């Protein structure tokens, strides 16, 4: 329940946050890509799906790190979850949830970037099994954190997670059906599991944003 | 579903965080209920009613009524 003045202030704050985020994102992306170029990785030569995977992974990792950084300030964290004027600073539990979400997001990004960067940097049959073992361990760790998040979440958060999964499932199974039909008819060439995974994650991310916005935003 | 949560909270001068703490849910949940973006589960509705000492039907009204 807010007044028009509150809403105007909220819109201004959001616009400022978006502008700040755009500047920060552009700066970080430029720095990251320049660093990769110095390491001999030129993403301009990559196939589009790898560029998409790179963008997804980088966005997840950066947002995860920024989320963790925000939890260093209880008042800043409170502003992210409560836009009422009298909002008190975040509690220890809220800070812990923010860190957990940030860590999960960071690990998701790191997990996506690891095979991509390793493959671009020349992973071979000698080091691939070791790399894969690390990825499996990190994936299990991230799954455990996701489970902890689910256990700690309240009913609204659980509904948002469930709705995201449902929306993603219906979109993806529809796309899979259309792609399968097109392939059977010889209209679409085969595509790799990597391509399917990157697209799946992309759809899930967009669904998650839309569902969270519709569920939690004023 | 319409509800009187904002009114009852304001009467007691509680912040959304205060109410969230008393009900064991997040501030986002209180905000979503107050702005009618989310209808609470029956269990949470009972907890809210108990906290404010009212019956559920006094707190929540279907949109058509």
């Amino acid at each position: 329940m807010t007044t028009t003045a509150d809403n105007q202030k909220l819109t201004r704050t959001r616009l400022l946050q978006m502008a700040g985020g755009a500047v920060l994102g552009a700066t970080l992306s430029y720095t990251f890509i320049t660093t990769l170029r110095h390491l001999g990785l030129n993403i301009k030569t990559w196939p589009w799906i790898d560029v998409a995977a790179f963008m997804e992974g980088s966005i997840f990792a950066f947002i995860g790190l920024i989320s963790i950084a925000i939890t260093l300030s209880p008042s800043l964290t409170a502003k992210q979850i409560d836009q009422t004027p009298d909002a008190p600073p975040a509690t220890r539990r809220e800070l812990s949830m923010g860190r957990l979400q940030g860590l999960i997001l960071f690990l998701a990004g790191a997990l996506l970037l690891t095979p991509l960067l390793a493959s671009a940097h020349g992973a071979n049959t000698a080091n691939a099994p070791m790399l894969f073992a690390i990825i499996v361990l990190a994936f299990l760790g991230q799954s455990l954190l996701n489970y902890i998040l689910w256990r700690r979440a309240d009913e609204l958060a659980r509904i948002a997670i469930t709705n995201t999964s449902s929306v993603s499932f219906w979109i993806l199974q529809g796309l899979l059906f259309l792609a399968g039909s097109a392939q059977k008819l010889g209209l679409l060439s085969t595509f790799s599991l990597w391509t399917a995974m990157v697209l799946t994650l992309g759809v899930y991310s967009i669904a998650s944003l839309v569902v969270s916005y519709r569920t939690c935003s004023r | 579903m319409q509800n009187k949560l904002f009114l009852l909270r304001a009467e007691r001068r509680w912040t959304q965080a205060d109410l969230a703490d008393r009900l064991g849910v997040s501030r986002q949940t209180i905000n979503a209920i107050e702005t009618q973006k989310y209808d609470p589960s029956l269990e949470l509705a009972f907890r809210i009613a108990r906290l404010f000492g009212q019956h559920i039907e006094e707190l929540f009204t279907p949109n058509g009524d």
Side-chain angles (χ1 to χ4, degrees), chain A residues 11-54:
Chain A
T11 308
R12 268 202 307 276
T13 308
R14 281 190 180 151
L15 285 173
L16 280 172
Q17 283 175 340
M18 282 164 73
V23 172
L24 183 68
T27 311
L28 287 173
S29 305
Y30 179 78
T31 312
F32 195 33
I33 289 168
T34 311
T35 310
L36 286 177
R37 205 174 288 157
H38 284 306
L39 293 170
L41 298 172
N42 186 0
I43 67 164
K44 280 184 185 167
T45 60
W46 289 2
W48 70 270
I49 195 68
D50 283 354
V51 176
F54 177 76

Side-chain angles (χ1 to χ4, degrees), chain A residues 160 163-164 167 171 203-217, chain B residues 37:
Chain A
N163 286 352
T164 300
V167 169
I171 294 174
V203 169
Y204 186 86
S205 306
I206 293 167
S208 169
L209 278 175
V210 173
V211 169
S212 299
Y213 183 78
R214 286 179 62 89
T215 311
C216 299
S217 174
Chain B
K37 279 183 172 290

Side-chain angles (χ1 to χ4, degrees), chain A residues 22-216:
Chain A
V23 172
L24 183 68
T27 311
L28 287 173
S29 305
Y30 179 78
T31 312
F32 195 33
I33 289 168
T34 311
T35 310
L36 286 177
R37 205 174 288 157
H38 284 306
L39 293 170
L41 298 172
N42 186 0
I43 67 164
K44 280 184 185 167
T45 60
W46 289 2
W48 70 270
I49 195 68
D50 283 354
V51 176
F54 177 76
M55 284 172 66
E56 277 177 15
S58 307
I59 289 168
F60 290 165
F62 279 135
I63 294 177
L65 286 178
I66 289 168
S67 302
I68 293 169
I70 285 174
T71 61
L72 294 174
S73 160
S75 57
L76 203 56
T77 305
K79 280 185 186 146
Q80 306 303 309
I81 55 176
D82 182 353
Q83 283 89 26
T84 52
D86 52 354
T91 60
R92 216 188 303 175
R93 182 185 160 76
E94 287 168 339
L95 292 173
S96 158
M97 281 295 272
R99 278 181 205 127
L100 186 58
Q101 285 173 317
L103 185 58
I104 287 170
L105 210 50
F106 173 76
L107 277 175
L111 275 165
L112 192 58
L113 289 174
T114 304
L116 180 69
L117 296 179
S119 140
H121 214 265
N124 52 45
T125 46
N127 58 25
M130 174 63 83
L131 265 173
F132 186 64
I134 293 169
I135 289 171
V136 170
L137 282 177
F139 173 74
L140 289 175
Q142 203 242 8
S143 300
L144 179 67
L145 292 177
N146 265 314
Y147 175 71
I148 293 171
L149 184 74
W150 172 265
R151 290 298 302 266
R152 287 190 193 171
D154 72 347
E155 61 178 57
L156 180 71
R158 286 188 181 184
I159 281 176
I161 296 170
T162 310
N163 286 352
T164 300
S165 304
S166 303
V167 169
S168 301
F169 171 76
W170 287 109
I171 294 174
L172 288 167
Q173 67 98 25
L175 289 176
L176 191 63
F177 165 72
L178 292 175
S181 302
Q183 239 174 39
K184 201 74 180 160
L185 294 169
L187 298 171
L188 184 70
S189 58
T190 54
F191 50 84
S192 67
L193 285 174
W194 177 255
T195 301
M197 190 276 302
V198 173
L199 293 178
T200 299
L201 210 51
V203 169
Y204 186 86
S205 306
I206 293 167
S208 169
L209 278 175
V210 173
V211 169
S212 299
Y213 183 78
R214 286 179 62 89
T215 311
C216 299

Side-chain angles (χ1 to χ4, degrees), chain A residues 82 88-89 94 154-155 217, chain B residues 6 26-29 37-38 41:
Chain A
D82 182 353
E94 287 168 339
D154 72 347
E155 61 178 57
S217 174
Chain B
F6 172 77
S26 66
R27 297 189 215 192
Q28 292 100 316
T29 300
K37 279 183 172 290
Y38 173 65
S41 66

Side-chain angles (χ1 to χ4, degrees), chain B residues 10-26:
Chain B
E11 278 173 9
R12 285 157 183 78
R13 297 182 188 280
W14 289 346
T15 62
Q16 288 187 345
D18 291 332
L19 182 55
D21 193 42
R22 284 176 159 87
L23 292 170
V25 295
S26 66

